[in-house]
Amino acid sequence: MDLNTCLATTESYHTIAYYSHLVPVFIAVLLGVFVLFASRFSLLSRVFSIFVGTFCLWLIGDVIVWTQTDYHLVTFFWAPLDYINTVFYIAGAYFFAVLVNNGNKIPAWLKLTFLGLSVPAWWITVTGASIMGFNQPVCEAFNSEFLTNYKLAIEWAVCIYILVSGMGALRNSDRAKKIQVSVVGIALILFFAVFSVTEYISSQTGYYELNLYSLFVLPVFLALILYTITNLKMFQLRLLGTQLLVYVLLIMIGSQFFFLENTTNQILTIITFILSFFFGVTLLRNVKKEAEARRKIEKLAADLQKANTRLVELDKQKTEFISFATHQLRSPLTAIKGNTSLILEGDVGPIAEPLRNIVQTVYSSVKTMINVVEDYLNVSRIELGTMKYDMKELDFKDMVQEVANEQKPNIDAKGLALNVVIDDSQTYRVKADLDKFKQVIMNTVDNSVKYTPKGSLTLSLEKANGKIRFKAADTGVGIRPDVLPKLFQKFTRAPNASEANIHGTGLGLFIAKEIMNAHGGRIWAESAGEGKGSQFYVELPEVK
């Protein structure tokens, strides 16, 4: 026998070795390059490509060891196999660590740990101590016992690390992340464990062909990885991932023609390949349509989000402008009101009757404008969240009496009858902001006065279920049932409201509702319909 050659394995093992090694190499390289470029060299894709690359190096070295007969060539590729084996296990752990960390960098100490674990195997390999001897007739090397045991320890340490870190990640992740970590973790542990166990059994029994069959679990691992790409968005590449899945499936089926010799099996494989091709084309078309539809929806959602953000900004600017403008208007209007009041009261001297009428008109108009400005100012405060409340205990009864007295001139001027129904022997204690709560009651009563051309207005208080309820019942224009749900919205007025009062802004009841919400109470209205009067209710918890 030539000293430079050794006995090779049988031709049937050559065929199995080529299929079990070269097909996975082609698929793994395709997968690694695909995710690397398609995900724009993200950290997760780079680490995954390192893992795939080191495994491909081991596959190429191992297939040369199995199929070549040149002594020097076999020895050259056999020597680093255990070291490369250790590296791709560690690279798999690194890949899983980055995945668990949401694709971000892992701590420096963990990187150094991974690097440190590979150093002993590297040192033994570069010093030429990885092979202790070589049995030339059967082309078999005797590996370093320490390196073999060290490699086995690394393999199981990596499996344990993936299991422990994966379980830790499941406790603090959302449902999608849990599924992703579970699938990838199971795939890695399945592949690593089967690979390690079969290799250990082979070394103990001498039946090294078992290593060839262990590699047939690799397609299961790749299928699970592709599943995470297409369905769990591990690299956010659903469409391209589906394409790759179809191509890999067709390659794996087609590659069987290289070692199938039975005619029946070849025919079945041809049928399987054709069916897989047509199903794959259909799947790609459907996924492409879904991707296009999803892309349109995402674009529309992004456009709507931008428009909504812009509208929010414009609404805020509008509110701020109204607040600024009303602040600027309130001071001069108050000055006009004060001065016209002095003129009407005779503090600046007697005035002729015609002039008095003119000043009275100015005074009434300015008073109306001040109310409008105050309403807009309150609305802007509410929308900007700057409305402040000073909550104190007060007697609801005193509040109602005070409002009734202040509204009495307006009620008398319209010729309306005013009835106040309150039990004077009772106390009606509530917790409220004095000025703002009075504004609610004033707006409610004023609203009834404005929209009651004739008849009466009844104000009452009652206690029920730990709450105090105020009621303002009028015989005015009434409210249609379809208007009632909208009555407390901004700028909402009943269709017949303008006939009774042309100066209303539709803001008073909105402001009253917001103030009552801040007080933990409520305000609402009831009416039997147009022309049948209205009842407005204000309710607050009683303070014991």
Side-chain angles (χ1 to χ4, degrees), residues 33-103:
V33 172
F34 163 74
V35 299
L36 189 62
F37 283 92
S39 63
R40 301 180 181 180
F41 290 81
S42 67
L43 175 61
L44 186 63
S45 65
R46 294 200 305 270
V47 177
F48 179 73
S49 298
I50 293 172
F51 166 56
V52 168
T54 54
F55 180 61
C56 288
L57 286 177
W58 184 89
L59 286 171
I60 292 171
D62 196 57
V63 74
I64 291 174
V65 168
W66 270 99
T67 58
Q68 300 305 307
T69 58
D70 184 280
Y71 163 76
H72 298 291
L73 186 65
V74 172
T75 305
F76 177 79
F77 280 96
W78 195 305
L81 280 182
D82 281 347
Y83 167 64
I84 297 174
N85 186 324
T86 303
V87 171
F88 84 70
Y89 266 80
I90 294 173
Y94 186 18
F95 162 66
F96 190 74
V98 174
L99 174 67
V100 167
N101 202 33
N102 298 314

Side-chain angles (χ1 to χ4, degrees), residues 420-496:
V420 179
V421 182
I422 301 176
D423 185 352
D424 291 332
S425 64
Q426 296 282 339
T427 57
Y428 300 86
R429 305 295 296 179
V430 294
K431 193 170 186 178
D433 182 295
L434 179 62
D435 294 332
K436 294 178 178 61
F437 187 54
K438 182 179 179 179
Q439 182 182 350
V440 172
I441 304 303
M442 184 67 79
N443 281 354
T444 304
V445 176
D446 187 60
N447 195 74
S448 293
V449 174
K450 286 178 180 177
Y451 300 112
T452 304
K454 60 181 180 178
S456 63
L457 173 63
T458 301
L459 309 180
S460 62
L461 278 178
E462 62 178 1
K463 295 182 180 181
N465 301 320
K467 295 181 179 179
I468 299 176
R469 181 179 299 170
F470 167 74
K471 177 181 178 183
D474 63 61
T475 59
V477 297
I479 307 169
R480 286 188 348 211
D482 60 306
V483 177
L484 277 172
K486 309 172 186 176
L487 199 60
F488 292 88
Q489 297 176 5
K490 281 192 298 185
F491 306 111
T492 299
R493 301 180 73 196
N496 57 356

Side-chain angles (χ1 to χ4, degrees), residues 299-315:
K299 184 179 182 302
L300 179 61
D303 292 341
L304 288 175
Q305 182 62 37
K306 289 180 181 178
N308 182 64
T309 302
R310 181 58 179 159
L311 286 174
V312 170
E313 291 175 356
L314 290 174
D315 186 64

Side-chain angles (χ1 to χ4, degrees), residues 198-327:
T198 54
E199 193 172 40
Y200 177 77
I201 294 174
S202 298
S203 65
Q204 295 299 313
T205 62
Y207 181 55
Y208 293 102
E209 288 78 7
L210 185 61
N211 284 337
L212 297 177
Y213 298 108
S214 71
L215 292 175
F216 285 104
V217 78
L218 179 61
V220 178
F221 164 69
L222 292 176
L224 289 173
I225 293 295
L226 286 169
Y227 172 79
T228 62
I229 294 174
T230 57
N231 290 285
L232 304 182
K233 301 181 180 180
M234 183 168 68
F235 294 106
Q236 303 298 322
L237 306 171
R238 181 180 177 85
L239 176 59
L240 295 177
T242 304
Q243 292 175 334
L244 184 62
L245 178 61
V246 172
Y247 298 151
V248 168
L249 178 63
L250 294 177
I251 290 170
M252 292 178 66
I253 295 173
S255 63
Q256 296 183 50
F257 290 110
F258 291 102
F259 68 92
L260 288 176
E261 298 178 356
N262 184 281
T263 304
T264 302
N265 290 338
Q266 290 177 344
I267 293 173
L268 290 174
T269 302
I270 292 173
I271 295 173
T272 303
F273 183 86
I274 293 172
L275 291 175
S276 299
F277 176 80
F278 283 107
F279 281 127
V281 170
T282 304
L283 176 63
L284 288 177
R285 286 179 178 175
N286 291 336
V287 172
K288 186 176 181 180
K289 289 180 181 178
E290 181 186 346
E292 290 175 354
R294 187 183 298 275
R295 194 158 43 243
K296 290 179 180 178
I297 292 173
E298 289 175 352
K299 184 179 182 302
L300 179 61
D303 292 341
L304 288 175
Q305 182 62 37
K306 289 180 181 178
N308 182 64
T309 302
R310 181 58 179 159
L311 286 174
V312 170
E313 291 175 356
L314 290 174
D315 186 64
K316 184 178 179 181
Q317 292 173 5
K318 178 258 312 179
T319 303
E320 290 174 347
F321 169 76
I322 291 175
S323 178
F324 172 78
T326 50
H327 268 294

